[in-house]
Structure formats: C-alpha cells, structure tokens
Amino acid sequence: MVQLQALSQRNFLNTADLTLQEIQQLIELALKLKQGQSQASLAGKTLATLFFNPSVRTRVSFATAMFKLGGQALDISSEGAWAFEYRDNIVMNGATIEHVKEVAPVLSRYCDGIAIRCSELVTKSAESAKVGAWETAKQDIVLKSFAKYATVPVINMESNVYHPCQGLGDAVTIKEKLGQTQGKKYVLSWAYHPKALPMATPNSQMLAACDLGMDVVVAHPEGWELDPEILAVAQRRAEQSGGRFSISHDQDEALEGAQIVCAKSWGALKYYGQWEKEKELRVQHQDWIIDESKLQLTDQAHVMHCLPVRRNVEISEGVLDGPQSIVIDEAENRMWAQMALLATLL
Ligand code: CP
C-alpha cells in the first residue's frame, strides 16, 4: 500500500503527477473526512493563496478547508500584491515591481504552502485581449516559476493547462455517487458558451475520470480537440486503471448509456488567441447543450459541471434544477478533496 506520506512536501500541479494509488488514497481520505471517519490537523499552518483571476469556489473552499483543519489561508490576491516579474535577466525598469525569485522564497518563510490561480485566458479576458500562442501559454510560466523558487509545496488552483483540484474534487464526487467506478461510462461533453473558455478544467476532469477506470468519452464538435499531448496522457492513465478512453464528435451517440455526464465548454486550440475566428466556429454549435432530451439518452446519468454555469446555454434550467444534477455536491466536494490534499502535502 502506497503511503500518502510520500506526497508530503510535494507540489500539486497536475493530478497525473501522482500515481493512481496516490489519487485513490486522496479520494478515500476526502470521503472519510467528509463522513467524519478521519481527522487531520494543520494547526498553526498557513497557506498563501494568490488569485490572478476571479474565483468563488476555489477561493472559499481553500479558505474553509484550511480553517476546518485548524490552519489559515491568507488571501494575497493580485490586486493586493505587487506586480510580479517572471523573466530571467530582465532590467526591471517597467511595470513589474518584484521578481518571483524574491516573492516565492519570502512567502515560503511565512507560509507552509503557496496556492496559485493564474489562467491567461481569464486574466486577459479572452475575447478582447491579445493572448500569446498556446505553446507559450502551455508553459504555465507563473505557476512553474513559483514552483521553482518556493521552498514549500505549491498547489495549482487553475493554470492555463490544468485545474487539478477540480479534477480531484470531481473524482471524489463520482466515487461518492457511483461507489464502484470501474467500467462505468463517463462523458465529458463540450457545451456551447458565448465566450472562449480555458482548457484547464476539461483537461483535469478528463484525466481524473481516466484515473477511476471508467469508460471515458470526450464528446465535442470537430475543431474542439484538446491538446494531443494531454489526450495521450489520458489514454495512458485509462490503460493503467483498466478503463477506456475515446473521443466522439456525435454528442447523442456519446451520451447513450452514460452514468456520469459532465458538461464543460472550452476554447478551440487551433484559434487560441484569435477569438473572432474561433467565434465563427463556436456559434455553429449552440445545440451542444445538456437538456432533458439529451439526458433521456443516458442511463439516468448524474449531471456534473464545475460551475459557474450558464443556465439554458450549457445546461438547461430543468436539468440543473432536476434530481440528476449533482453540481452542488460537486462544488462542496472541492473542499473535502482539498482538505485531504492539504493535510497530506503540508
Ligand atoms: N470551479 C471553479 O474553479 O470555480 P471558481 O472559478 O469559482 O473557483
């Protein structure tokens, strides 16, 4: 049996950095904490949370997770901090005030962990702003720089590429609802949304479902392919867990017999940063919504969404308010998953 102590003092940047056994044990610990069957303490410990983007669930669930464990989260969001520099060998005579080479080790002296949310697409408010190429965004410079210069664990609260806390929380929710997950059908369905959204959440949701040994189908219209390197990791994790992984461009076919349907919108990688072009493609797929008729195709599937959700755009009102929606439980489980994670890492 792998001991969770092996994760102590490690970073949490992507669920796929952990073994399947480590993920399984974090899920078990989260469910035990939720059921009051296990206790953990981070008394006297502090977590610095840096949000470069808006957040409701992640911000509050990390704060409450630390509080419930007897520690404290310190929110030093971007508005309240200096403008940080990440480039090497830079003459800092411009807008940036403090280099990550100082701020990460300084925060490491005060705090027992550093959690970062930095998604370029959201920071630069997608449609109007100039966003760099995907290959640059994929480097996750902000998150990786903090991980490089911090001397305490760094937690990814959503970067350009991954949202592993959402992935872990979703895995806890799926396990809680289904019990045995092996071979059960999970569909991650692209959904229409009026704005181009990041791919971090669907990447991590897909990876987490693959870790559970499920029959994972990622359904999206042609042109909405996720990053091929990450798809390859999903395929590998599915094989390791005894599950299956496939892509479908037919939403109805994909939904047939599903036990879990997770709706999520994301942007088209091939038009990353070219939002006018991307929008031309996107508006053609407004029928990609999870509504009552789509749900009829499933095996009474539980419906998931990471939230925030656009009602009657991504998921119909009837489905969201109906008995098959588990989006509120899913949001709650972010907290229990993060309690397990924090208690283990810190
Ligand atoms: N799902 C999620 O991460 O929500 P927030 O953006 O509100 O934190």
Side-chain angles (χ1 to χ4, degrees):
M1 193 78 163
V2 172
Q3 296 298 307
L4 272 176
Q5 280 90 327
L7 288 178
S8 176
Q9 297 303 307
R10 273 178 41 196
N11 295 331
F12 185 66
L13 308 185
N14 174 11
T15 51
D17 294 338
L18 277 59
T19 65
L20 294 180
Q21 278 177 304
E22 287 168 340
I23 293 286
Q24 197 60 44
Q25 291 187 338
L26 281 173
I27 295 169
E28 281 168 21
L29 178 56
L31 289 171
K32 279 188 178 160
L33 287 167
K34 183 172 182 178
Q35 291 152 6
Q37 291 170 5
S38 189
Q39 289 191 326
S41 172
L42 287 179
K45 303 244 180 185
T46 52
L47 176 75
T49 54
L50 275 116
F51 287 90
F52 295 91
N53 312 114
S55 165
V56 170
R57 276 144 293 276
T58 307
R59 190 188 300 272
V60 179
S61 59
F62 265 100
T64 48
M66 282 302 290
F67 179 77
K68 280 175 179 285
L69 290 166
Q72 188 163 15
L74 303 168
D75 189 344
I76 43 167
S77 291
S78 51
E79 310 84 59
W82 302 117
F84 301 140
E85 179 60 65
Y86 301 94
R87 292 167 293 182
D88 278 331
N89 304 315
I90 186 86
V91 179
M92 286 176 56
N93 59 359
T96 55
I97 293 177
E98 180 162 27
H99 204 282
V100 68
K101 287 183 180 181
E102 279 82 47
V103 74
V106 166
L107 289 176
S108 302
R109 297 283 177 100
Y110 301 141
C111 300
D112 301 283
I114 302 173
I116 314 275
R117 169 170 283 200
C118 190
S119 168
E120 173 183 272
L121 248 169
V122 184
T123 310
K124 295 189 176 170
S125 101
E127 314 229 326
S128 59
K130 284 198 179 76
V131 175
W134 170 241
E135 290 310 318
T136 308
K138 200 176 160 183
Q139 293 172 31
D140 268 340
I141 296 293
V142 173
L143 178 73
K144 296 281 177 67
S145 299
F146 271 94
K148 182 173 177 183
Y149 295 111
T151 57
V152 295
V154 169
I155 297 170
N156 180 1
M157 298 196 294
E158 189 180 359
S159 68
N160 295 327
V161 191
Y162 297 113
H163 192 352
C165 296
Q166 186 69 53
L168 186 63
D170 279 16
V172 169
T173 304
I174 295 168
K175 197 81 189 155
E176 180 182 49
K177 298 297 175 187
L178 298 185
Q180 178 58 251
T181 55
Q182 199 71 35
K184 303 251 174 95
K185 188 170 183 185
Y186 170 98
V187 178
L188 174 63
S189 177
W190 185 88
Y192 173 72
H193 191 287
K195 291 182 180 297
L197 293 188
M199 299 91 194
T201 298
N203 285 339
S204 288
Q205 289 174 317
M206 165 180 80
L207 289 172
C210 287
D211 287 354
L212 295 176
M214 302 184 80
D215 175 7
V216 175
V217 182
V218 177
H220 59 74
E222 285 190 49
W224 259 260
E225 292 74 22
L226 291 167
D227 185 287
E229 276 182 43
I230 301 167
L231 292 174
V233 177
Q235 179 77 53
R236 196 165 61 243
R237 300 283 284 197
E239 283 164 15
Q240 285 171 358
S241 67
R244 290 196 299 185
F245 178 73
S246 61
I247 310 276
S248 172
H249 296 145
D250 183 330
Q251 193 189 35
D252 286 359
E253 194 177 85
L255 291 172
E256 269 172 35
Q259 276 115 346
I260 298 280
V261 173
C262 181
K264 183 72 189 94
S265 196
W266 62 86
L269 269 188
K270 66 178 173 182
Y271 292 134
Y272 194 83
Q274 302 170 65
W275 307 121
E276 285 310 312
K277 271 193 183 170
E278 202 256 24
K279 194 172 178 181
E280 280 173 30
L281 193 60
R282 189 164 11 105
V283 293
Q284 295 170 27
H285 302 298
Q286 299 191 37
D287 55 333
W288 281 69
I289 176 173
I290 298 299
D291 60 14
E292 290 84 338
S293 66
K294 299 278 171 64
L295 217 46
Q296 290 285 325
L297 301 167
T298 71
D299 181 10
Q300 298 182 309
H302 296 289
V303 176
M304 302 181 73
H305 189 288
C306 62
L307 306 182
V309 62
R310 298 262 183 157
R311 282 178 167 250
N312 299 317
V313 176
E314 296 174 86
I315 303 180
S316 71
E317 185 111 348
V319 170
L320 272 171
D321 295 338
Q324 284 167 257
S325 171
I326 55 169
V327 300
I328 306 300
D329 292 336
E330 182 183 359
E332 178 191 337
N333 286 339
R334 287 284 308 277
M335 180 181 73
W336 299 108
Q338 289 155 198
M339 282 175 69
L341 183 72
L342 289 162
T344 302
L345 298 183
L346 308 192

